[in-house]
Amino acid sequence: MFTELNSILNTSPDSFTQGDFILVSGRQSDASFLIHHFLSFYLRARCKVCFLGLVQSFSHYSAVCQRLGVSLAQAKEKRQLVFLEGLQEGLSVFIPQDDTTGNKALSFLSRDPMVGLQNLYEFVRSSVSSPGGGEEGSDGSEQWGPPVLLVDDLSVLLSLGVSARAVLDFSHYCRASLCSQLQGNVVMLLHCEEEEEEDDGDDEGSERLLKGLIHQCCLALHVQGLPTGYCRDIHGQVEVCWRRRQGDGQHTQNKVFQYKVHDKGASFFARGTSSAVL
Amino acid sequence: MAAPVNSVVNSSAKCSSFNATSFQKKTRSRLISIPGTRPSVQNGQLLVSTGVTSLDYLLGGGLAVGTVLLIEEDRYDSYSRMILKYFLAEGVVCRHELFVASAQHTPDDILQELPSPILDDVAIHKPVEQPRLSHEPQDSLDAMKIAWRYQNLPKVQTALASSSRFGHYYDVSKMMEAEIREAAKCHRFYLPEHPTQSSPTHSPMLESYSALLKSLRDVIQREGFEVTAPMSKSRNILRIGLHSLGSTLWGDDLCCHDNPRHGHALTTFLYGLRALLRSSLSVAVVTVPSHLIQNRALMGRITRLCDNAIALESFKGSEREANPLYKDYHGLLHVRQVPHLNCLASQLPDHKDLAFKLKRKQSHIQCGILWPFHLFIYFDL
């Protein structure tokens, strides 16, 4: 986890707000470093994490989290982490083996993907629900904190043919069950393409999805490249938008930071104060 | 792929892929080296050469095993096809296995046009001779007396030494000799030979792509390229060359319409391809006629589903050909994406304005900074 980002967001693994829906979006920039931050953050906070790793293999996430000081394999063993490896599950749907006993989370790939992501939601729901029965508790298995869902990333679902509306429904259901009912958190990553002109025809869904998710979230982190172009020392800028509901209505607050990603983390600084510049 | 690298190659500090001698350090894990690969200096991933040394440099030392390189074709598919042939030729020289898929030309046509390697110490691998040599050296009358240490080594030592080099040079004006080419094992997929069966599922992938994916998976499983395959046999790399995916000949209408009906066919295939590659010792180069794809958002999705992406823009037939600025060069090369696997930060190239050209009668790389802020990288002819 990135300590500078924690101070910006005013959170720490010991005290963080629950019931949050956090949206991380990247436009023409890769925002996946933030997902690694949240993954290591919530694992350190001893939450029960359900991670939908749709984009990369488990070894990639594991290697990166190792550098951030968290072991995914251990978390998986202790049942703190439930990991859905999208690539392997998807492949087993595309090319069914004879002994199909895999879980049906990605079964939407074989049926018409416009149908919906119900099975995926059921998978999420079952993985974050607390283990029932006294036998497990008396085993000495640890009790974990509030459940957290992390999705990396939603635009892959769009690439696989799922409609934006189905993804919005899925995120709404996740938010309703995880944030409201179980008082957990949800973090979703979405990549948008470069802005298209406003012509007719469907807009591929990612813009619509982004707008819908911004409306649902309470914290949004927008990552984009520098407006002046490519720079080796400053990889881009992050716009942090809080949308808290205060007593007297919506309260939004925006802040912009620039960031640089390095091997073991990322550093965030106010615009123009990069160490390369000063 | 951190896990496969650790299982196949020892930690980069200790191992050398250039196993020219039989000396092997006694280490805890079994040291297996695959000719034609080397670990990356940045993150220890296993890299293979694309065949073009300067392109290897751009991609951070080489193409990581388990990743896909997307080449956005130039207008007449001349230079992108050339890079594909370089990639396959490098596989022949390193004795990797090849898989070539095409809908337009038969794979044999592509294979017959591979450029010929320039070095004269690339010995022709004669598989007939080798078993005899490696099994019974001590019985031969002319066993080496002085250099007894080398007695037990197979006699095609020079070939091993050169083919375990990383990156070779090719002469595009000459075709690779049939002997060298036929020594490599090659799997072919020619789309007209695979009649499309109606798939029982409504998956967004087209039948042509799913047939290709199945064929790839079968080859990977059958020939033992999976990472989880038993370590007893020697490991090798599978080089996959997929020509002109997304073109109409594959049954896709990406290039025909602004809002294609099969808009998700290619992206779904690329997702399945990524899944196959991450779990096997293979590398893929995919060329896509992106100049025909009008939908930029879709092109962005396709790019993001591949790990490396470059785009070629040749000057042939465009107004830039007459531009005095570009008179020495054949086209522009744009790096669209570099991967950041197993690490947070990606190694972006320092310079983003690149041009390519084919040089005659040169056998070494020349890079020069001719303008401030611009670096021109040449291919070799």
Side-chain angles (χ1 to χ4, degrees):
Chain A
M1 78 186 164
F2 311 148
T3 42
E4 287 174 14
L5 187 58
N6 280 347
S7 58
I8 290 175
L9 298 178
N10 220 2
T11 55
S12 79
D14 305 319
S15 73
F16 56 92
T17 46
Q18 291 180 266
D20 270 357
F21 183 87
I22 301 174
L23 172 70
V24 179
S25 78
R27 186 179 292 281
Q28 284 190 292
S29 277
D30 197 9
S32 47
F33 68 99
L34 288 172
I35 276 282
H36 295 296
H37 156 80
F38 283 113
L39 179 58
S40 55
F41 177 90
Y42 286 115
L43 282 174
R44 271 189 219 221
R46 298 180 54 85
C47 295
K48 184 141 181 20
V49 177
C50 171
F51 188 71
L52 303 184
L54 303 173
V55 178
Q56 301 283 4
S57 59
F58 178 73
S59 51
H60 164 78
Y61 295 112
S62 184
V64 179
C65 279
Q66 199 81 35
R67 293 181 198 223
L68 299 178
V70 170
S71 166
L72 288 193
Q74 266 183 15
K76 224 168 141 185
E77 256 175 70
K78 294 192 280 189
R79 298 218 224 139
Q80 186 189 7
L81 170 70
V82 175
F83 188 91
L84 174 71
E85 186 161 354
L87 288 173
Q88 294 310 315
E89 300 291 332
L91 190 62
S92 62
V93 171
F94 293 144
I95 310 177
Q97 310 267 16
D98 293 328
D99 48 346
T100 42
T101 51
N103 69 59
K104 305 234 200 60
L106 295 188
S107 59
F108 65 88
L109 287 171
S110 63
R111 299 180 283 117
D112 191 4
M114 305 292 269
V115 164
L117 298 170
Q118 272 133 322
N119 285 343
L120 193 59
Y121 170 69
E122 294 302 327
F123 171 80
V124 170
R125 192 67 219 244
S126 61
S127 49
V128 299
S129 54
S130 47
E135 53 201 308
E136 286 199 328
S138 62
D139 249 2
S141 72
E142 309 177 45
Q143 290 302 313
W144 303 110
V148 175
L149 168 68
L150 292 150
V151 182
D152 175 23
D153 65 51
L154 289 179
S155 34
V156 159
L157 292 175
L158 293 178
S159 299
L160 291 172
V162 184
S163 68
R165 172 184 300 182
V167 181
L168 275 174
D169 287 344
F170 168 73
S171 71
H172 175 76
Y173 270 79
C174 290
R175 191 169 71 110
S177 64
L178 277 150
C179 298
S180 314
Q181 282 180 10
L182 299 173
Q183 287 299 304
N185 289 2
V186 175
V187 181
M188 292 198 178
L189 173 61
L190 175 68
H191 272 118
C192 308
E193 307 306 320
E194 39 184 273
E195 313 215 354
E196 302 264 319
E197 307 116 27
E198 292 292 326
D199 27 326
D200 52 320
D202 64 46
D203 54 352
E204 284 293 333
S206 63
E207 286 298 325
R208 207 156 24 122
L209 184 55
L210 179 67
K211 287 185 186 136
L213 288 174
I214 290 180
H215 184 73
Q216 290 181 6
C217 74
C218 60
L219 171 64
L221 294 152
H222 298 298
V223 177
Q224 52 199 83
L226 290 178
T228 44
Y230 168 66
C231 168
R232 208 175 6 155
D233 295 308
I234 304 172
H235 292 157
Q237 67 183 32
V238 178
E239 187 180 344
V240 185
C241 310
W242 287 269
R243 303 176 78 245
R244 299 243 173 264
R245 286 192 175 84
Q246 309 259 321
D248 50 351
Q250 282 281 6
H251 171 63
T252 54
Q253 189 191 6
N254 281 20
K255 275 197 196 166
V256 181
F257 296 92
Q258 289 176 342
Y259 70 91
K260 177 173 179 176
V261 181
H262 34 259
D263 207 30
K264 288 201 196 284
S267 52
F268 294 79
F269 35 86
R271 273 188 286 198
T273 62
S274 155
S275 55
V277 166
L278 289 177
Chain B
M1 301 201 317
V5 172
N6 288 335
S7 62
V8 172
V9 177
N10 200 4
S11 65
S12 47
K14 292 188 204 159
C15 89
S16 160
S17 301
F18 309 102
N19 227 7
T21 69
S22 59
F23 169 70
Q24 288 193 2
K25 250 184 174 170
K26 286 244 169 2
T27 50
R28 258 187 303 143
S29 56
R30 260 184 78 191
L31 176 71
I32 297 188
S33 69
I34 308 175
T37 65
R38 71 171 175 199
S40 154
V41 293
Q42 276 128 0
N43 48 18
Q45 279 179 322
L46 200 61
L47 300 178
V48 295
S49 168
T50 54
V52 182
T53 338
S54 32
L55 187 59
D56 288 340
Y57 167 74
L58 269 185
L59 297 175
L63 206 49
V65 171
T67 60
V68 181
L69 167 65
L70 172 76
I71 302 179
E72 295 187 29
E73 290 175 10
D74 54 308
R75 196 171 292 271
Y76 304 107
D77 189 24
S78 41
Y79 298 105
S80 43
R81 203 159 151 193
M82 189 177 305
I83 300 188
L84 187 63
K85 288 189 285 188
Y86 265 85
F87 175 72
L88 296 171
E90 181 73 20
V92 172
V93 169
C94 297
R95 270 182 268 141
H96 298 158
E97 285 191 29
L98 306 180
F99 183 106
V100 184
S102 166
Q104 186 179 1
H105 315 275
T106 59
D108 284 316
D109 283 348
I110 298 180
L111 287 169
Q112 268 156 21
E113 292 174 5
L114 294 187
S116 140
I118 287 182
L119 307 174
D120 40 25
D121 60 340
V122 174
I124 297 168
H125 173 59
K126 291 198 168 66
V128 180
E129 280 185 26
Q130 202 165 25
R132 177 171 62 86
L133 289 169
S134 56
H135 286 333
E136 299 164 339
Q138 46 276 61
D139 292 338
S140 64
L141 287 173
D142 52 345
M144 284 192 262
K145 295 285 187 277
I146 298 173
W148 58 272
R149 192 187 293 275
Y150 301 108
Q151 201 168 317
N152 291 335
L153 294 178
K155 288 218 177 125
V156 282
Q157 189 62 39
T158 51
L160 279 177
S162 65
S163 65
S164 62
R165 246 184 62 183
F166 193 83
H168 298 87
Y169 302 102
Y170 298 91
D171 187 352
V172 176
S173 57
K174 284 196 290 211
M175 302 298 164
M176 189 184 269
E177 286 164 34
E179 279 178 317
I180 309 181
R181 192 179 63 233
E182 275 150 26
K185 197 159 173 195
C186 181
H187 309 273
R188 296 157 175 81
F189 182 97
Y190 182 44
L191 185 65
E193 285 168 13
H194 293 254
T196 55
Q197 305 118 10
S198 62
S199 58
T201 66
H202 297 287
S203 85
M205 214 186 330
L206 289 173
E207 290 90 20
S208 51
Y209 293 143
S210 21
L212 176 58
L213 200 64
K214 282 197 184 70
S215 167
L216 270 171
R217 204 272 314 259
D218 289 339
V219 166
I220 288 177
Q221 274 185 344
R222 203 176 55 225
E223 308 287 329
F225 287 109
E226 278 183 336
V227 172
T228 49
M231 299 282 251
S232 50
K233 46 184 286 203
S234 59
R235 308 309 301 272
N236 203 355
I237 304 276
L238 177 68
R239 287 190 182 229
I240 304 170
L242 306 177
H243 181 249
S244 229
L245 286 186
S247 76
T248 339
L249 290 168
W250 286 93
D252 209 344
D253 61 349
L254 268 187
C255 302
C256 312
H257 303 119
D258 275 352
N259 298 311
R261 210 157 33 98
H262 300 129
H264 303 286
L266 183 56
T267 46
T268 316
F269 169 77
L270 288 174
Y271 190 74
L273 181 66
R274 177 185 271 203
L276 269 182
L277 291 186
R278 292 286 195 267
S279 57
S280 64
L281 288 174
S282 41
V283 181
V285 168
V286 175
T287 71
V288 168
S290 68
H291 52 95
L292 296 173
I293 298 179
Q294 300 301 322
N295 194 329
R296 301 319 301 170
L298 195 49
M299 201 56 229
R301 293 238 177 87
I302 292 172
T303 306
R304 232 177 315 103
L305 278 169
C306 302
D307 308 289
N308 305 273
I310 61 171
L312 298 174
E313 184 188 335
S314 93
F315 295 148
K316 246 193 270 183
S318 80
E319 62 271 6
R320 294 195 198 197
E321 206 168 11
N323 191 333
L325 205 63
Y326 296 129
K327 71 171 160 47
D328 289 332
Y329 304 98
H330 291 128
L332 295 177
L333 187 146
H334 309 278
V335 177
R336 298 267 192 243
Q337 182 163 272
V338 278
H340 55 280
L341 288 180
N342 303 330
C343 55
L344 269 177
S346 56
Q347 299 94 27
L348 295 161
D350 284 348
H351 304 269
K352 290 224 145 181
D353 299 299
L354 301 160
F356 65 87
K357 93 189 235 192
L358 286 107
K359 269 178 102 64
R360 290 186 181 282
K361 292 181 197 160
Q362 294 279 352
S363 60
H364 55 276
I365 296 286
Q366 271 192 5
C367 306
I369 300 183
L370 299 178
W371 288 359
F373 314 114
H374 292 278
L375 182 72
F376 291 89
I377 306 240
Y378 311 146
F379 296 159
D380 279 305
L381 180 69

